[in-house]
Structures are given as structure tokens and as C-alpha cells.
């Protein structure tokens, strides 16, 4: 092993440790890795930053924009709206269509974007048909991941193709993965439909509603508001009397949410604004821990009901809705106070769901995590601002698409783009970027919306990791690792090599991501295949498909984290459902890959 190979492997090991432990953000680690390899002299400075100009990055960036064009014109919403009518309230049919539509969308768009676009419609259909969303959301996540294996347009496949190009080999075409990916998708959907769904949790965050599905009373029950809802009267001698809610600082001081004010002789005032003045004799309906309510009474209040129940919390003017942080938004990692949520939207977050349980106290001080769900209360007219914000996704009360009349145009642009790439009329990156620009030029979305649609963390992660594949190859590290793989597996033949690299990529994907695993494993797969005289493209495909096996941990793919909160899943749920699925997919790859991609 050369000194440069040793340095490359050392730097890469440190980067993997930092990513796994999350001591630093993954995108920051990737950029530090690229720059560190350049400073160490393994690659040039130009090569360190070449990732930003690579066709793989351009393709992924364009896919985000194309997806947003479909969303802004209401195409994906129309697809989701048809879910309920096609299934006619039958849970099994709803499950099948959810997976088929999710997989179909992921054939030509980013997996996370496909899940984000479908989730509100799936939740709405589940509520209307009284189905259990926990039996739908994980299958949706797995189906979009499997759908991505059937074309080039999933990230790990794009990166594997980029590594082939760097090695002077023919890159993968748009439909090269279809002969293997389609059987994988068919087997995976069949497993989830007949066996996998029986392994899913039967009780979760949004099980069966006591009232009509999706009603405010149903959401109140899910978040167990009645357990933390108290009524506190403000006596005449209270220091809170005569003050506005903002001046009283009840929320900031005690971590309580004020849902309503009861005033003698008047109807219940729901969702009071911060300027609302509290009068002597008023009663406040507050949500939070009893200990915090006791502190409020000590300051100047009298407890009337410790468990006030859940009165009608919604009217024609006031709504109670469920919201999740968007996968590409800036809300994750920040608190509601830092986001100035109340001031910006005029809405109150009365509860937060995380890791299988609701929190109703100090929710404004909790940094939002990917997969959280928020229960929001306020005026319906203010909810429109939340619908239009790219940082959040509203799971109830679907938004009317702003440019529904241009839906046919967005479909035409996407169709022409895919046909141009499929028939090699132009390189995939050029076709995708031309289609993305077409979405903007035709008014399907604005330039600002295009910027907002791009998941910049993924772009920087990929652009930072791609130079690592150059370093692995140029330093001779891939040759050395390839020799290790050959020594361990070659005596069993190329099938064993392909299967072993599939499993290695799968294992790395569980702790890192398919993006990182593709950059690390693909060069090794090519080197090992060349050393035993196997087809490097076939072995590279096996490795790339292994990078899509993100089923056994919630952290293996953002889609899993995305559905974890709303679905009420725990870590073990992914392992219980995902491990058999992964073994089934390994068997499919070993049976089908040699038929269409002979290893010799």
C-alpha cells in the first residue's frame, strides 16, 4: 500500500466515524474530507472541488426542481386525491395503491421528494377510510426506495454511474437498472402487502379516531390533550388581570399553551392572539404539565379544572391541524422560538409528537427533529401562510395548488425530459437540467421556489464525497481493497463477489447513507471485478443496488426518518420489517442480475 493510499483510507475512516457519531454534520465532514485530501497532496485542489461540476450533482439538483414543478402545479396532489376514490375505503387496496404510486413517482424523482409529496394525501385517505396510517407509511417509505432502484435517477445509482465514468468505463443509462430493479420492486411490494404489514405495529400515533377521521377532536385525542388541559380562573387581585397575553409571558415563563379564553356572557374565544387582554374573572384554557399549571396559580390564578377535557377546539374560523418539518426546510435543528413560529404565522403549537409519545409542555424550547409532528391551533386564514412555507408540510386540510392550470404543462415537460434521457437523445444531466429550466421558463414554478426545492445539504454532501472516489482510485487504495475482497470471495466465483459487495454496501448504508456507501464501495467493486476478470459494470450494479437497501434502521435513509414520527414507529420496527425484506432482495439480485448482466 502506498503512502497516499494509507492517507486516503485514514482520512476516509475519520470521516466515517464523524458521520456515524454525528460529531459534525455530514455535509461539513464531506467538504473537510475533500479539502483535507487536497492539502495532503492526494488529489489536486481542482479535483477537490470538481464535485460541484460533476454530472451526478447536476442531475440530482435538476431532479429536485422538476419534482417541485409537479408539486406546484398540483400534479402530485391530483394523484394523491385519487387514492381514496380508487380504494373505496378498503385498507388492503389503499396499501397496494400507496406503494404502487409511491414507487412510480420515485422512478423519475428523488425518493424523499416522492414520499413528502404523497404523505399528506396518504394520511388524508387513511383518515377518511378509517385505516391505520402505521400500516401505510413504512410501506410507502420502502416502496419509494425500491422504486428508485429501477432507474438511474436514484442518488446511489447516479453516483455509481459517475464512478464508472471516472474509471473510463461506460456509465449506466437511464433504464439499465430496470431489468433488475423491477423484479426487486415486485418482490418487495408483494412482501409488504402480504407478510410485512403483519409485522408492523398495530397501535400508533394516529390509529383509529373516535370521531370522523382527521377531525380536530380526533387529533386532540391522538395527542392526549385532555390529559394536560386545565382551566385557570384569573381573580381580580391577580397581577395577570389587565395584561395582554404577550405581556403576561405565560407561554415563555411556564411553557404552557393558551388555547382559549372563557369570559362570562360570551362564547369561548378560541386561539386568542398575543394582543388579547386578560380580564379579571376570565378563565384560561391552558395545555401543559400540572406542575407548570400549579406555578401559574401561585403567580395569580385559581385552578378550576385539572382535567378540563377537550371542548370544541375548532370552528369555521379556527382550526386544529397536524404539521411536520419539511425534509428540505430550515426548521430541523431549530426551536419554535428561534423560528419565531407564533409571530410569523399567528398560530400556536400546542403539542409535539416524538418517538412514540406526545409532549405538551415547553414545546417551543425543543429543537425540532426530522420526523417530529406538530399539533397547531389557530385561525384558518393564518394556516394559509403555513401551507405556502417550504419549511413545513401540512398533513391535514390540503392546500389548493397555486398553478393548477399548468399541470398538463409540467407533465409534458417531465415526459419529454425522461424520453430524451431514456433514448439517449442527450446526456442525462443535460436533459434533466433542460427540463428543470423548462419548468421555470414556463411559469410552473418561480426561480425562488426552485432554490427552495433543492436539498442543499445533499448537494454539498455528494459534491464533497465524490473527490474521495478519485482519491481512492488514484492513490491505489481501491486496488488494495479490491485485492482483499478478491482474497476473501474470489475462490467462490464472481457471484460470491457480487453478493459480498452487495452486503458490504447494505451494511454501510445502515450506518452512513447510500450516497456515501456508493462512493466508497463502487470503486472497490470495479477494482475487484477487474482483478478476477468479471464484468465491472455488473459488479458495480450489485454494489449500487446494495446502497439502496435502506430498510433496517430509521437513520439509513431520510425517508425512514420522515415517516417515523407520523407513523409512530420505533427503531426495532424497521429492523423487524426491513431485515426479511433485505434478505429477499439479496436473493432477487443473485437470481436476476446474472441473467441480464452476465458477470463474465
Amino acid at each position: 500500500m502506498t503512502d497516499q493510499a494509507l492517507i486516503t483510507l485514514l482520512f476516509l475512516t475519520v470521516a466515517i466515524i464523524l458521520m456515524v457519531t454525528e460529531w459534525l454534520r455530514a455535509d461539513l465532514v464531506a467538504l473537510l474530507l475533500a479539502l483535507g485530501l487536497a492539502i495532503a497532496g492526494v488529489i489536486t485542489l481542482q479535483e477537490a472541488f470538481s464535485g460541484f461540476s460533476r454530472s451526478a450533482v447536476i442531475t440530482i439538483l435538476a431532479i429536485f426542481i422538476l419534482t417541485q414543478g409537479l408539486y406546484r402545479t398540483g400534479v402530485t396532489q391530483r394523484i394523491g386525491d385519487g387514492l381514496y376514490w380508487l380504494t373505496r375505503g378498503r385498507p388492503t387496496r389503499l396499501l397496494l395503491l400507496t406503494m404502487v404510486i409511491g414507487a412510480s413517482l420515485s422512478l423519475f424523482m428523488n425518493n424523499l421528494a416522492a414520499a413528502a409529496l404523497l404523505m399528506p394525501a396518504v394520511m388524508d385517505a387513511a383518515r377518511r377510510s378509517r385505516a391505520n396510517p402505521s400500516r401505510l407509511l413504512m410501506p410507502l417509505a420502502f416502496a419509494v426506495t425500491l422504486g428508485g432502484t429501477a432507474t438511474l435517477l436514484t442518488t446511489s445509482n447516479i453516483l455509481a454511474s459517475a464512478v464508472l465514468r471516472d474509471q473510463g468505463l461506460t456509465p449506466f443509462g437511464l433504464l439499465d437498472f430496470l431489468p433488475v430493479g423491477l423484479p426487486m420492486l415486485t418482490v418487495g411490494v408483494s412482501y409488504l402487502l402480504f407478510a410485512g404489514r403483519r409485522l408492523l405495529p398495530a397501535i400508533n400515533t394516529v390509529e383509529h379516531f373516535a370521531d370522523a377521521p382527521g377531525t380536530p377532536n380526533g387529533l386532540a385525542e391522538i395527542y392526549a390533550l385532555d390529559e394536560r388541559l386545565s382551566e385557570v380562573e384569573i381573580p381580580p387581585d391577580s397581577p395577570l388581570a389587565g395584561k395582554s397575553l404577550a405581556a403576561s409571558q405565560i407561554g415563555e415563563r411556564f411553557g404552557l399553551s393558551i388555547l382559549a379564553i372563557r369570559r362570562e356572557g360570551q362564547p369561548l374565544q378560541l386561539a386568542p392572539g398575543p394582543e388579547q387582554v386578560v380580564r379579571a374573572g376570565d378563565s384560561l384554557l391552558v395545555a401543559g404539565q400540572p406542575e407548570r399549571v400549579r406555578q401559574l396559580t401561585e403567580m395569580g390564578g385559581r385552578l378550576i379544572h385539572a382535567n378540563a377535557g377537550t371542548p370544541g377546539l375548532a370552528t369555521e374560523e379556527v382550526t386544529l391541524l397536524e404539521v411536520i418539518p419539511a425534509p428540505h426546510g430550515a426548521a430541523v435543528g431549530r426551536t419554535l422560538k428561534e423560528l419565531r413560529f407564533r409571530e410569523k404565522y399567528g398560530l400556536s403549537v400546542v403539542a409535539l409528537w416524538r418517538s412514540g409519545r406526545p409532549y405538551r409542555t415547553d414545546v417551543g424550547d425543543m429543537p425540532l427533529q426530522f420526523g417530529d409532528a406538530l399539533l397547531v391551533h389557530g385561525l384558518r386564514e393564518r394556516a394559509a401562510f403555513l401551507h405556502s412555507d417550504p419549511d413545513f408540510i401540512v398533513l391535514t386540510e390540503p392546500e389548493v395548488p397555486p398553478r393548477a392550470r399548468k399541470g398538463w404543462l409540467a407533465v409534458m415537460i417531465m415526459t419529454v425530459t425522461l424520453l430524451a434521457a431514456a433514448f439517449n437523445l442527450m446526456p442525462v444531466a443535460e436533459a434533466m437540467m433542460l427540463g428543470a429550466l423548462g419548468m421555470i421558463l414556463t411559469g410552473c414554478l418561480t426561480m425562488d421556489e426552485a432554490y427552495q426545492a433543492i436539498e442543499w445539504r445533499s448537494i454539498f454532501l455528494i459534491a464533497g464525497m465524490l473527490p474521495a472516489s478519485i482519491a481512492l482510485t488514484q492513490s491505489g487504495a481501491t486496488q488494495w481493497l479490491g485485492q482483499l475482497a478478491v482474497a476473501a470471495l474470489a475462490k467462490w466465483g464472481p457471484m460470491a463477489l457480487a453478493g459480498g459487495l452487495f452486503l458490504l454496501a447494505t451494511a454501510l448504508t445502515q450506518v452512513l447513507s447510500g450516497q456515501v456507501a456508493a462512493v466508497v464501495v463502487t470503486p472497490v467493486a470495479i477494482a475487484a471485478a477487474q482483478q478476477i476478470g468479471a464484468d465491472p459494470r455488473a459488479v458495480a450494479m450489485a454494489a449500487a443496488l446494495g446502497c439502496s437497501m435502506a430498510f433496517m434502521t430509521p437513520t439509513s435513509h431520510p425517508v425512514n426518518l420522515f415517516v417515523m414520527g407520523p407513523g409512530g414507529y420505533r427503531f426495532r420496527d424497521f429492523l423487524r420489517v426491513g431485515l426479511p425484506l433485505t434478505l429477499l432482495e439479496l436473493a432477487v439480485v443473485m437470481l436476476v442480475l446474472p441473467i441480464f448482466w452476465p458477470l463474465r
Side-chain angles (χ1 to χ4, degrees):
M1 183 190 299
T2 65
D3 291 341
Q4 288 192 334
L6 183 61
I7 292 172
T8 300
L9 293 175
L10 178 62
F11 278 29
L12 189 59
T13 301
V14 172
I16 290 174
I17 292 173
L18 291 174
M19 290 179 180
V20 172
T21 58
E22 297 183 348
W23 289 341
L24 293 175
R25 284 175 39 157
D27 49 348
L28 175 60
V29 172
L31 294 175
L32 289 172
L33 174 63
L35 192 58
L37 290 170
I39 293 173
V42 179
I43 57 177
T44 66
L45 189 61
Q46 183 177 1
E47 289 171 333
F49 294 106
S50 65
F52 291 98
S53 62
R54 303 279 284 278
S55 60
V57 172
I58 301 301
T59 301
I60 294 167
L61 187 146
I63 290 172
F64 283 124
I65 299 175
L66 285 165
T67 299
Q68 187 71 357
L70 294 174
Y71 171 73
R72 289 291 175 178
T73 54
V75 174
T76 51
Q77 181 174 313
R78 289 192 188 97
I79 295 172
D81 289 344
L83 273 174
Y84 177 74
W85 301 108
L86 289 173
T87 59
R88 301 185 185 277
R90 298 179 181 177
T92 301
R93 189 181 295 180
L94 176 59
L95 172 60
L96 176 60
L97 274 180
T98 294
M99 292 190 290
V100 169
I101 294 175
S104 300
L105 288 177
S106 67
L107 289 174
F108 57 87
M109 67 172 60
N110 176 270
N111 295 347
L112 184 57
L117 291 171
L118 270 184
M119 183 188 283
V122 171
M123 294 286 286
D124 181 63
R127 286 168 176 147
R128 295 169 67 183
S129 61
R130 302 186 72 83
N132 192 336
S134 72
R135 299 296 178 91
L136 297 171
L137 295 183
M138 189 183 293
L140 169 63
F142 288 179
V144 298
T145 301
L146 287 169
T149 64
T151 69
L152 176 67
L153 300 182
T154 196
T155 304
S156 56
N157 293 355
I158 293 172
L159 294 177
S161 181
V163 174
L164 283 171
R165 186 191 299 272
D166 291 341
Q167 303 262 352
L169 299 169
T170 304
F172 293 123
L174 180 65
L175 301 179
D176 282 350
F177 286 86
L178 189 61
V180 184
L182 193 57
M184 293 176 66
L185 173 60
T186 303
V187 170
V189 168
S190 300
Y191 160 76
L192 291 167
L193 184 64
F194 295 108
R197 65 172 177 166
R198 303 182 189 281
L199 301 175
L200 290 165
I203 300 175
N204 71 353
T205 60
V206 279
E207 196 187 4
H208 290 287
F209 299 133
D211 300 301
T215 61
N217 286 341
L219 290 173
E221 180 179 341
I222 293 165
Y223 285 81
L225 284 186
D226 57 337
E227 297 179 5
R228 291 289 187 268
L229 208 58
S230 303
E231 189 170 353
V232 177
E233 184 181 35
I234 306 300
D237 58 348
S238 172
L240 299 176
K243 288 186 177 181
S244 67
L245 293 177
S248 68
Q249 295 186 324
I250 293 175
E252 292 80 357
R253 194 175 302 180
F254 304 109
L256 301 171
S257 298
I258 302 176
L259 276 68
I261 296 179
R262 194 186 304 277
R263 183 167 293 167
E264 187 175 357
Q266 297 184 14
L268 190 68
Q269 300 179 32
L270 295 172
E275 73 286 347
Q276 178 70 50
V277 175
V278 179
R279 299 178 185 174
D282 286 350
S283 295
L284 307 181
L285 197 65
V286 297
Q289 292 179 353
E291 174 62 23
R292 302 298 180 85
V293 176
R294 186 184 61 79
Q295 294 175 8
L296 174 61
T297 59
E298 291 176 352
M299 177 180 174
R302 184 172 65 85
L303 181 64
I304 299 178
H305 298 294
N307 293 295
T310 51
L313 296 177
T315 63
E316 292 184 359
E317 294 79 24
V318 179
T319 185
L320 193 67
L321 47 86
E322 199 172 20
V323 177
I324 58 176
H328 308 147
V332 175
R334 303 173 66 186
T335 67
L336 294 169
K337 286 184 179 179
E338 291 172 344
L339 294 169
R340 299 183 64 82
F341 189 94
R342 172 76 176 178
E343 294 83 353
K344 183 177 180 179
Y345 304 106
L347 301 167
S348 298
V349 176
V350 297
L352 178 148
W353 192 283
R354 175 179 295 169
S355 301
R357 58 158 294 188
Y359 295 84
R360 291 140 302 195
T361 306
D362 291 328
V363 293
D365 296 318
M366 300 173 66
L368 296 180
Q369 297 179 6
F370 200 50
D372 286 347
L374 308 174
L375 186 63
V376 179
H377 189 235
L379 297 175
R380 292 183 187 273
E381 62 184 27
R382 302 296 303 178
F385 294 98
L386 199 58
H387 277 298
S388 61
D389 195 307
D391 290 340
F392 294 95
I393 295 175
V394 180
L395 297 182
T396 50
E397 300 187 5
E399 174 192 16
V400 177
R403 305 180 190 95
R405 293 182 179 180
K406 294 192 175 184
W408 66 271
L409 190 57
V411 171
M412 186 181 70
I413 292 172
M414 178 62 82
T415 302
V416 172
T417 298
L418 294 175
L419 289 175
F423 290 98
N424 295 319
L425 300 180
M426 62 178 64
V428 174
E430 293 180 16
M432 292 295 162
M433 183 52 71
L434 190 60
L437 294 176
M439 288 284 189
I440 299 170
L441 291 174
T442 56
C444 292
L445 76 165
T446 66
M447 196 67 182
D448 287 338
E449 289 168 346
Y451 283 127
Q452 293 169 352
I454 299 169
E455 189 183 358
W456 291 107
R457 291 185 182 184
S458 292
I459 296 298
F460 277 83
L461 172 62
I462 295 165
M465 287 302 299
L466 279 173
S469 68
I470 299 176
L472 284 167
T473 303
Q474 293 184 172
S475 67
T478 54
Q479 292 297 321
W480 181 76
L481 292 172
Q483 290 171 2
L484 292 181
V486 168
L489 301 169
K491 61 182 179 180
W492 305 105
M495 281 287 291
L497 179 64
L501 290 168
F502 178 95
L503 291 175
L504 174 61
T506 299
L508 286 177
T509 297
Q510 306 314 307
V511 295
L512 295 171
S513 69
Q515 300 167 354
V516 178
V519 174
V520 174
V521 179
T522 306
V524 178
I526 295 171
Q530 289 173 334
Q531 289 177 32
I532 66 170
D535 181 3
R537 298 180 77 227
V539 179
M541 179 171 287
L545 292 172
C547 296
S548 293
M549 299 297 101
F551 306 128
M552 292 184 287
T553 66
T555 57
S556 58
H557 199 290
V559 172
N560 295 349
L561 289 172
F562 189 55
V563 302
M564 188 175 182
Y569 304 119
R570 298 185 179 183
F571 190 99
R572 63 175 178 266
D573 295 325
F574 287 91
L575 182 62
R576 184 168 57 245
V577 181
L579 179 58
L581 177 59
T582 302
L583 295 176
L584 278 174
E585 299 300 352
L586 171 61
V588 173
V589 171
M590 292 296 95
L591 288 173
V592 178
L593 181 67
I595 299 175
F596 296 98
W597 290 85
L599 293 166
R600 288 288 188 183

